[in-house]
Amino acid sequence: MDLLGLKVYGDVTVADVLVVVAVILFAVILAKVVTLNLRRALADKIKRDQLELLTKIVYWSIVVIALISVAPILGLNLSGLLVAGGIAGIVIGFASQSVVSNLVSGLFLMIEKPVRLGDQVEIEGISGFIEDIRIMSTIVRTYEGLYVRIPNERVFTSNIVNYTGNVARRFEYRIGIKYNDDVDKAMEIIREVVEKHPFVLKHPKPDVFVEDLGDNAVILSVRMWAPATEWFGVRMKLLRDIKKKLEENGIEIPFPQRVVWFANELELKK
């Protein structure tokens, strides 16, 4: 018998029906368990409506696979539907490559977690805060307050710089002082200012040392660590405090100097 592309061969026994029912019940239970665990794992990572859509896709995918697998037991030949479905699937697949790629990339981002909500990141030259991680795209709010939507495929395959991914972050200054100033005194003043700041970490210990002897100044390097979330504020405040403290103690930050010789003066000296 041929009905809507489904061909039935032979007789179906009660045992066959029981096997089919058992397989379908098992598939339904398995689908519920998988979707339940999926809800728990992603409840705080994606929005509720997106989570509902994802769980429904997973649930019905398991059930449909089970139905296809037991069809031959009932004597159903799905070759006609499978061929038509295969052709339609190829067409749809080519048309939705980017959609599927973004969906899969979004799932990998949620599993791997290279970025989290609120992180300060740079992705493909776009810097800002992670506002949302959706199934298809990631939302970044730039430091200028702009809304930027980046497809998950580009996020997953690009280099991600996460400025707050680690607990602490190091930064440094290069400060020049005059050659006739007391280097040890300047280093002690800088070290004192740095160590007094409440957000500068004690471990690793701040470091102050002579880095270079420049054309117009002795270059001091100042390196320290601060909590990643407070890094920018600490960096801005400390540089101002160091400059003020050095000036209060008579240590100046020199400016470039040049000696210029005029041709006519050289001629007169001859």
Side-chain angles (χ1 to χ4, degrees):
M1 181 175 64
D2 191 342
L3 180 63
L4 296 178
L6 304 178
K7 296 182 179 179
V8 182
Y9 298 98
D11 299 325
V12 178
T13 64
V14 175
D16 293 333
V17 174
L18 292 176
V19 170
V20 170
V21 172
V23 171
I24 294 175
L25 286 176
F26 176 77
V28 170
I29 295 172
L30 177 63
K32 288 185 177 180
V33 171
V34 171
T35 53
L36 180 62
N37 285 277
L38 196 62
R39 287 176 190 276
R40 291 175 179 174
L42 302 178
D44 57 343
K45 297 178 179 63
I46 61 177
K47 293 183 177 180
R48 184 176 178 180
D49 56 341
Q50 296 173 346
L51 182 59
E52 288 294 329
L53 176 61
L54 178 62
T55 52
K56 285 180 180 178
I57 292 174
V58 173
Y59 180 90
W60 287 110
S61 296
I62 295 174
V63 173
V64 169
I65 291 173
L67 289 173
I68 294 175
S69 65
V70 298
I73 299 177
L74 298 176
L76 299 176
N77 185 356
L78 304 179
S79 58
L81 291 179
L82 290 176
V83 171
I87 295 174
I90 293 173
V91 174
I92 295 173
F94 277 112
S96 61
Q97 285 184 31
S98 60
V99 175
V100 175
S101 180
N102 286 324
L103 176 62
V104 174
S105 298
L107 294 176
F108 279 119
L109 285 173
M110 295 170 189
I111 295 171
E112 186 180 343
K113 300 178 183 177
V115 295
R116 299 173 184 269
L117 297 182
D119 284 354
Q120 297 183 47
V121 300
E122 180 181 343
I123 304 173
E124 291 193 334
I126 300 171
S127 300
F129 299 88
I130 296 293
E131 286 281 292
D132 198 2
I133 302 174
R134 301 175 180 174
I135 293 180
M136 302 298 295
S137 61
T138 298
I139 307 303
V140 176
R141 174 171 57 85
T142 68
Y143 297 123
E144 295 80 14
L146 300 178
Y147 173 102
V148 181
R149 175 186 176 276
I150 308 175
N152 281 335
E153 180 184 9
R154 289 170 55 190
V155 176
F156 188 71
T157 57
S158 65
N159 294 327
I160 300 175
V161 180
N162 191 332
Y163 295 109
T164 53
N166 293 324
V167 177
R169 182 178 173 186
R170 195 191 80 173
F171 63 98
E172 64 180 293
Y173 305 126
R174 297 180 75 252
I175 300 173
I177 63 172
K178 294 194 302 185
Y179 270 93
N180 57 354
D181 283 334
D182 188 336
V183 174
D184 293 330
K185 181 181 178 181
M187 293 172 61
E188 185 61 31
I189 292 170
I190 294 173
R191 188 177 289 108
E192 181 181 351
V193 173
V194 170
E195 291 178 351
K196 281 185 177 180
H197 196 286
F199 283 121
V200 173
L201 302 185
K202 303 299 181 183
H203 302 283
K205 185 179 179 181
D207 199 8
V208 184
F209 59 92
V210 177
E211 180 182 321
D212 193 13
L213 301 177
D215 294 336
N216 305 289
V218 178
I219 308 300
L220 304 180
S221 182
V222 186
R223 295 179 180 176
M224 68 214 77
W225 290 77
T229 54
E230 305 292 337
W231 172 86
F232 188 70
V234 174
R235 185 174 183 273
M236 292 179 63
K237 185 177 187 306
L238 271 181
L239 188 59
R240 182 193 63 185
D241 292 348
I242 290 173
K243 179 181 183 298
K244 290 176 63 178
K245 200 67 175 179
L246 289 175
E247 290 176 346
E248 289 174 4
N249 287 270
I251 298 176
E252 299 179 6
I253 299 175
F255 50 84
Q257 300 179 23
R258 295 289 183 270
V259 177
V260 181
W261 296 88
F262 295 96
N264 55 347
E265 292 185 359
L266 293 176
E267 292 293 334
L268 291 174
K269 289 182 179 180
K270 291 180 180 180

